[in-house]
Amino acid sequence: MKKVLLLFSGLLLLGCSKAGSPPSSLPDRTGKLCGDKPNCVSTIELRDDFKLPPFELNQQGVESWQTIIDIALSLPGAGLGQQENGYIRIECRSRIFGFIDDFEIRQHDNMLIVRSESRTGYSDFGVNRKRAEQFRHQLLAAGLLKSQ
């Protein structure tokens, strides 16, 4: 078992650089669909493996952009990457290997466009979907989303 774990860990390290080369600034990719690698999810995707259900804000949510930012920054490993009017990119660093995923949110009227993608590697083992759903749960708990 120990040998299998060592082999698996070694393959992971060979397939991915530690954190990817952090660019000084990534463009807003909330309007971009995911590629073919299973390491991305988005609310604008139509393919089942990549799509997230919509994040529909209630009136309180529409008026609470700073609270939305604070909730996103409370996600595990989260740090501010980029922020503009109605847009934020959070860099979520994994605890063990230090891989970085980009978690992006853009407010468009009463909707949040949410996209989460790993910078490196092929599969994310469902981490980006779990992060997006954790974010949804926290927004619901804060009373910012319409009930589903």
Side-chain angles (χ1 to χ4, degrees):
M1 182 66 174
K2 205 178 225 185
K3 288 180 182 179
V4 172
L5 286 174
L6 284 172
L7 177 63
F8 181 72
S9 298
L11 289 173
L12 271 176
L13 291 173
L14 286 174
C16 307
S17 63
K18 184 172 182 187
S21 300
S24 57
S25 175
L26 286 174
D28 170 1
R29 298 171 304 159
T30 51
K32 181 181 180 237
L33 297 176
C34 296
D36 292 327
K37 296 182 202 175
N39 66 0
C40 176
V41 292
S42 171
T43 55
I44 64 166
E45 263 293 347
L46 300 176
R47 297 173 292 171
D48 287 337
D49 291 346
F50 302 94
K51 75 177 173 182
L52 290 170
F55 284 68
E56 189 174 1
L57 298 169
N58 58 27
Q59 189 58 43
Q60 181 182 350
V62 169
E63 299 167 359
S64 301
W65 178 243
Q66 186 58 52
T67 304
I68 293 168
I69 291 171
D70 294 342
I71 290 171
L73 286 169
S74 76
L75 295 169
L80 180 60
Q82 180 180 353
Q83 183 177 352
E84 298 171 7
N85 187 27
Y87 168 78
I88 187 164
R89 179 175 52 83
I90 306 292
E91 295 178 353
C92 297
R93 184 177 298 269
S94 68
R95 198 168 17 147
I96 296 174
F97 292 111
F99 297 128
I100 296 176
D101 297 342
D102 292 299
F103 186 71
E104 297 177 285
I105 307 156
R106 174 166 296 286
Q107 184 172 348
H108 180 73
D109 297 327
N110 70 328
M111 301 296 288
L112 290 181
I113 300 168
V114 176
R115 185 175 193 277
S116 189
E117 181 177 28
S118 301
R119 282 190 192 169
T120 56
Y122 182 75
S123 177
D124 68 349
F125 303 101
V127 170
N128 285 298
R129 181 170 302 280
K130 288 177 190 167
R131 178 181 301 114
E133 292 307 324
Q134 180 180 2
F135 179 62
R136 178 188 311 279
H137 177 75
Q138 289 178 279
L139 291 173
L140 280 166
L144 303 179
L145 292 182
K146 287 188 177 179
S147 297
Q148 303 181 349

